[in-house]
Amino acid sequence: MVDKHEKARRAELLRKKGFRSRPKSIEGVKPRFPNYLVPYACFECRRSVKIPPRDKTARCPQCGGDLHWMGRAFKPPRRTDLKQWMKVEKLRMAGFLFASFHSFKDAEAYPETLREVADFIERNPDHPMRIRNS
């Protein structure tokens, strides 16, 4: 195996002979896209799309309604599962994000059914995944 000093020496010899050019400076060059996409949901047409993070309100490409930032760990329910979409909407409108619970192992998990949501919201005013209180 060749050590890094020998590799650098060989690369410099190739550059001097004109076989290898130095990398061009990329200062001032902005990437065309961000490094990641985040899930947004439209509750009107029950769709989820992943788009770059936005500072302003995003619009649904399907119906033109508002898209709501859901958090990086959001897994949308099936479009036909109305109760699960209503559950997700109530949680989001109460200020809850769908993020990883790895750092908050003691936090109460989100409810499984729509029936449990109101009680869950009332019990968890200081939940770590809650970004605002309604």
Side-chain angles (χ1 to χ4, degrees):
M1 183 169 207
V2 179
D3 70 345
K4 65 180 178 179
H5 299 292
E6 178 63 18
K7 188 174 180 180
R9 187 187 70 78
R10 288 181 186 175
E12 190 59 38
L13 287 174
L14 288 172
R15 276 191 211 98
K16 285 180 182 177
K17 291 182 180 180
F19 291 116
R20 200 162 175 187
S21 61
R22 291 201 177 271
K24 294 179 182 177
S25 174
I26 58 170
E27 290 180 28
V29 176
K30 293 183 180 178
R32 287 182 19 188
F33 303 104
N35 295 335
Y36 60 93
L37 303 175
V38 293
Y40 283 76
C42 175
F43 298 121
E44 292 177 32
C45 62
R46 297 184 309 278
R47 288 194 182 272
S48 175
V49 293
K50 285 190 175 183
I51 58 175
R54 307 270 168 101
D55 290 333
K56 57 185 179 190
T57 304
R59 293 283 173 202
C60 176
Q62 184 73 25
C63 70
D66 288 344
L67 286 176
H68 303 274
W69 176 56
M70 301 302 290
R72 297 281 310 264
F74 178 65
K75 303 284 189 267
R78 292 182 181 267
R79 288 190 67 219
T80 55
D81 195 348
L82 296 177
K83 288 186 178 181
Q84 285 299 318
W85 273 102
M86 288 171 53
K87 176 190 88 169
V88 168
E89 182 177 10
K90 284 189 178 203
L91 286 170
R92 185 62 188 98
M93 293 307 152
F96 289 91
L97 285 180
F98 293 82
S100 174
F101 277 81
H102 292 279
S103 299
F104 305 102
K105 296 191 185 323
D106 296 336
E108 183 179 352
Y110 287 164
E112 293 290 323
T113 63
L114 176 62
R115 185 178 301 164
E116 302 166 347
V117 171
D119 187 44
F120 173 82
I121 292 170
E122 191 176 312
R123 272 195 328 267
N124 292 287
D126 298 322
H127 197 277
M129 299 299 164
R130 195 170 193 177
I131 56 172
R132 65 177 165 77
N133 292 328
S134 317

